[in-house]
Amino acid sequence: QVQLVESGGGLVQAGGSLRLSCSASGRTFSSNVMGWFRQAPGKEREFVVGISWNGGFTRTADSVKGRFTISRDNAKNTVYLQMNSLKPEDTAVYYCAVRTGPLTLNWEQYDYWGQGTQVTVSS
């Protein structure tokens, strides 16, 4: 089992930045793909960005490309999401998730999830 805890969410003005963290405990974190997803009220959960087990490969949704960056520190069992130039449409609950196997955009293929952290961007 892997337990995930997100932190770093909050309220920020448009154009601002936030850094989310996802701390993992349990087995084999360093060999797992990690992803960040988000879900706004009334909308489906959507992929934001993912990273391979060694950080050598990332994939980013077009809606956040150039603004959001994912990174991981396997020694600290932590994955980060740096969010810059935030927009009101980025408002959502952000979740980190982990899976074994290749990086995928499909949230249904992730095995473990954190509880989520709220990000609110005011205009």
Side-chain angles (χ1 to χ4, degrees):
Q1 286 244 344
V2 177
Q3 293 80 41
L4 304 173
V5 178
E6 302 98 336
S7 61
L11 173 64
V12 64
Q13 288 188 332
S17 298
L18 283 175
R19 187 195 196 201
L20 305 184
S21 299
C22 174
S23 297
S25 60
R27 44 189 285 219
T28 64
F29 168 82
S30 61
S31 62
N32 290 338
V33 163
M34 301 294 297
W36 283 98
F37 294 78
R38 66 186 182 186
Q39 189 166 18
K43 295 188 176 181
E44 294 188 354
R45 188 167 300 190
E46 64 173 351
F47 173 83
V48 178
V49 60
I51 189 167
S52 62
W53 70 272
N54 65 352
F57 177 74
T58 62
R59 187 129 181 224
T60 306
D62 289 342
S63 58
V64 304
K65 197 165 291 183
R67 301 188 296 121
F68 290 13
T69 304
I70 189 171
S71 61
R72 68 189 295 166
D73 185 340
N74 287 343
K76 296 182 178 180
N77 286 349
T78 302
V79 63
Y80 305 97
L81 178 61
Q82 179 66 45
M83 306 186 294
N84 299 327
S85 302
L86 283 160
K87 304 175 180 180
E89 51 263 44
D90 294 319
T91 296
V93 177
Y94 284 71
Y95 300 90
C96 67
V98 63
R99 76 180 301 264
T100 54
L103 196 157
T104 175
L105 278 63
N106 185 349
W107 68 267
E108 294 179 324
Q109 295 183 356
Y110 283 74
D111 304 306
Y112 299 101
W113 292 82
Q115 82 289 349
T117 186
Q118 176 71 46
V119 171
T120 303
V121 184
S122 63
S123 57

